[in-house]
Every structure is written in structure tokens, then in C-alpha cells.
Amino acid sequence: MNWKKMMLMMLTLVLCSGAFSLVSAHEGHMAAPHEPDKDTTCAYCMMKVYLKEEEMGKFTAQMLTADGKTLFFDDAGCMLNYKRTLAAEPQMMWVRDYNTLAWVEYGKANVVSANIKTPMQYGFAYFQTAADADTFVKNNNKLEAMKTDWTFVDKVAQKRSEMKMGGNMNHGQMNHGAAAAHGITVMINGQKQSFQQAPMNMHGKVTVSAKELVQKLGATANWNAKGDSVTVKLGSKSATLSLEQHGQIGLRALCEAVGAHVTWDGKTKTIHISSK
């Protein structure tokens, strides 16, 4: 064989090998989705994030931020609202396939709107293939299932966020009698408390984020798989209570159920809680 041809073949092999190595290295560093653990909470609303094997786990979403942090969300709407707060675009976002529970890249998932229960009552299901989405729509007329897109999901999420910021969070439906409890101070064992989710006046009673109140009381909680109730334990006392809209819970109801004492100072609009 001509030595020039041999050298050319060797050079070609070297270049191909190098290119393959670069591709392999790139693929090896591609972002991959992870799984939440039992204590994971939504990065946006602080509610429980459901595991793959739980009934509501099919609606869990996750994000890889620009700086490499993995964040989980109980519903994709929460993920889109959180994305709106970021200065830099996330590296990746995923939702679960409604049928297989496999992670699907956010932009590649096929969206269906239906009258189905989801953790935050957004009512969207996601499918890896258009055929699966079409089949779901065809088989679920009673659920008023229809195909839609991420633009619509984002608009719904944004409207929900704006309503919440305006003190009129509706948890997916028209809010009857719920408004921000402006000017109310919450004290626990003499310490002033702040809540990421503002206390609400729900039909004449003050409600707060169940997740935050449980933590501030130093209690433990087991969340119902359907996301509509929680069992709280503080010391020797425990109680199961229903959750209100957006994971809120009656402040007095929870505190008194686990043995804490609650008083109201009307002059200063202060709720005093003693758990000792």
C-alpha cells in the first residue's frame, strides 16, 4: 500500500476517534433528571412534592437551574411561575409522562387540559407522544379533555401568580371569601413570625401555609397522598386536619388540635400562640 494512503488512513482514524471522544464526553455531561425524596417540598409554593409511586406523583416537575441546582415542584404551573423569578434561564426542565411516569423534557411534552385533580388544581396532564395525548383525549370525553400547549399553561400559571400577589389566590377556581389577612401579626412563644405565603382570611378565619406553621411549631407532619389533609403531631398530641386552598390550614384549628394555646389581640391585630 502506498505510504501516503496509509498516512491518510491513519490520520482519518485519529480524527474520527477524537471526534467520537468529544461527543462521548459531551453526552456524559448532559443534564439528567433526578428523583425527589419524601421530605422534598415545592421550590415555589413550599407544599409537598409527591414521589413517583404516589397518586399525585405523575404531576411532579423539576428544573436544573443555570447554576446547577436541582429544584422540584408539585405541579408544572409552580415551575413556570418560579422560572419567571429567575435572572438566568434554567438549563433544563422536565415533567412526568402521565402514563409511564418517565421524565420528559418540558418543551417536548404534549399537554392536555382536563377536569382532573392535580396537586395545585391546574388540571394539566403531560404525555411523551402526541399519540398518547390523542388517546387520552379520545377516551376521556367526560373529563372535557382537550389538547393544548405550554403557552396556555404559562398564561394560566401567570394569572394564578398575579391573583396570589394581589391577595386573591384562588387555587384554580373562583375564590369565594378568601383575601389576604393584611396587618395581622403572628407570634409563637413570644417570637414574631414571618410567612413566605401571607396569612389569608378564609371565610372569616385566618389560614396560613400548613407546611410553614408545622415547621414553626416544631411539629411533624404526614401529608395525605391526595394532598387534601395532613396529620400533625406535637409532643404526645396528634390530629388529622383538612387543608384549605393552596395548602393553607386554619391557624387556630391546627394549633389547638395539637395542644397549643391561641389568643387574639384585637387592638394590635396580633395572634399569640403558646406551644409550651
Side-chain angles (χ1 to χ4, degrees), residues 12 64 93 107 190 227:
T12 301
L64 182 66
M93 297 192 296

Side-chain angles (χ1 to χ4, degrees), residues 184-187 206 251 262-265 269-273:
I184 288 180
T185 300
V186 178
M187 306 283 289
V206 175
L251 182 147
V262 181
T263 58
W264 165 250
D265 185 338
K269 292 187 177 182
T270 301
I271 299 171
H272 294 275
I273 303 168

Side-chain angles (χ1 to χ4, degrees), residues 89-159:
E89 282 288 309
Q91 294 184 45
M92 292 285 288
M93 297 192 296
W94 297 270
V95 292
R96 285 202 194 278
D97 178 87
Y98 186 85
N99 293 331
T100 68
L101 304 182
W103 291 110
V104 183
E105 288 183 30
Y106 152 75
K108 296 181 179 178
N110 296 268
V111 185
V112 170
S113 172
N115 289 331
I116 54 176
K117 182 177 176 62
T118 72
M120 300 307 296
Q121 298 305 314
Y122 278 98
F124 296 110
Y126 310 99
F127 299 86
Q128 189 162 21
T129 69
D132 285 343
D134 289 337
T135 299
F136 183 87
V137 170
K138 181 180 178 180
N139 295 337
N140 290 280
N141 272 337
K142 291 183 178 179
L143 297 178
E144 299 181 3
M146 58 187 298
K147 291 182 72 174
T148 185
D149 56 29
W150 282 108
T151 299
F152 181 68
V153 179
D154 191 48
K155 286 181 179 178
V156 172
Q158 185 173 17
K159 185 174 181 63

